[in-house]
Amino acid sequence: MMIVKDIKERTNELSNLKKSKIILALDKVESLNILPSVIKYVVGVKIGLPLLINIGAENMKNIIMNYKNDAIFIADLKASDIPETNENIAKTIKNIGFDAIIAHAFVGSESLKALVKHLSVFSLVGMSHKDSYLINSNVDTLIKISQIAGITNFVAPATYPDIIKHLRKEVSNALIISPGVGAQGAPFGSALKVGANFEIIGRSITTALNPVEEIQKILKLQNQIISA
Ligand code: BMP
């Protein structure tokens, strides 16, 4: 019988193996070119909606099949629909081979539960951009909604470290992945320092002249922070 490990266990194992706290964010078709050379340094790959639409489900299936033992794959759809449609989204995404999906919590626990039935869910309880005041001023409600749906995996912003700190305090066993380091201004390692498990990093790597060198630099910084 195949034992299915949960997402926290899998990311921990991969992280220990690779000495990495990086989840690579790929949003553009051309960014796929770097995948073969960087996959061994990252714990997960977060696929953005534009990339998924542009390459299509069949191509995505093949990519995931190719790398499924090397990293976890997260569909960043920010699912936010009624329960019936969310369930349809979850089935579709699972069928492509994704391990997890990112969802908005503001739609309510029933919509989240519809996703949880099919795959691991990362609930968005804060966002990294300047305009994110509506979501970021409702973090506690969003955490509650997520918990009612049985979710302990979260996305929280590195650009608002207090949100990560608060989330870690509220949900001590949470798996927290955090965007906003690098291109959006938060220093590499800063999200880890305040309680995130992994940092989601896109453009700093995908647009680097030498993505492998850039990753190695980031890993060094992350490891300095972890061991400090
Ligand atoms: P970058 O490192 O290039 O800024 O990429 C960050 C990634 O995380 C992007 O794919 C973006 O869509 C996503 N993201 C974010 O930046 N802030 C959030 O609050 C939530 C996200 O999913």
Side-chain angles (χ1 to χ4, degrees):
M1 196 179 78
M2 198 175 86
I3 298 167
V4 180
K5 292 178 181 161
D6 83 352
I7 205 89
K8 197 170 178 189
E9 205 181 335
R10 280 197 65 204
T11 50
N12 265 337
E13 271 180 20
L14 286 163
S15 176
N16 290 336
L17 201 72
K18 299 183 177 190
K19 304 272 172 288
S20 168
K21 300 280 183 191
I22 297 177
I23 292 182
L24 177 68
L26 299 181
D27 289 301
K28 289 187 172 175
V29 175
E30 55 268 32
S31 65
L32 273 175
N33 295 336
I34 68 165
L35 200 51
S37 61
V38 301
I39 191 83
K40 65 170 181 269
Y41 300 104
V42 305
V43 166
V45 183
K46 183 183 80 69
I47 302 291
L49 188 58
L51 173 55
L52 185 55
I53 290 172
N54 280 317
I55 66 166
E58 280 312 306
N59 284 324
M60 195 69 240
K61 237 184 212 177
N62 290 333
I63 291 168
I64 296 179
M65 200 122 73
N66 220 357
Y67 294 113
K68 71 174 192 293
N69 295 324
D70 303 305
I72 61 150
F73 279 79
I74 304 170
D76 186 2
L77 299 196
K78 298 193 176 64
S80 52
D81 218 313
I82 59 169
E84 292 79 1
T85 306
N86 258 11
E87 180 150 11
N88 199 353
I89 293 171
K91 283 183 191 163
T92 306
I93 284 305
K94 169 97 186 164
N95 187 39
I96 295 174
F98 281 102
D99 302 286
I101 188 167
I102 295 176
H104 269 299
F106 66 78
V107 277
S109 302
E110 293 304 315
S111 288
L112 291 178
K113 279 183 197 163
L115 299 168
V116 171
K117 274 194 224 165
H118 300 280
L119 76 179
S120 296
V121 177
F122 285 89
S123 179
L124 204 59
V125 294
M127 291 194 75
S128 60
H129 58 306
K130 272 203 195 99
D131 253 0
S132 53
Y133 55 87
L134 188 61
I135 283 193
N136 292 1
S137 57
N138 287 285
V139 172
D140 280 321
T141 311
L142 297 171
I143 294 174
K144 190 91 217 140
I145 289 170
S146 310
Q147 286 180 314
I148 292 168
I151 293 171
T152 52
N153 312 314
F154 297 93
V155 180
T159 44
Y160 297 92
D162 285 349
I163 293 182
I164 302 178
K165 272 189 210 163
H166 181 69
L167 176 59
R168 176 57 68 206
K169 208 172 99 218
E170 291 296 306
V171 193
S172 59
N173 66 336
L175 172 58
I176 304 173
I177 62 176
S178 180
V181 297
Q184 295 181 52
F188 296 117
S190 63
L192 302 178
K193 211 176 186 170
V194 291
N197 300 83
F198 297 101
E199 293 182 330
I200 297 170
I201 307 174
R203 287 162 293 172
S204 306
I205 297 168
T206 57
T207 64
L209 280 178
N210 186 331
V212 170
E213 261 177 27
E214 184 64 20
I215 285 204
Q216 287 170 332
K217 249 193 293 182
I218 297 169
L219 290 178
K220 222 179 197 170
L221 288 169
Q222 286 188 333
N223 283 312
Q224 277 167 8
I225 299 259
I226 297 162
S227 53

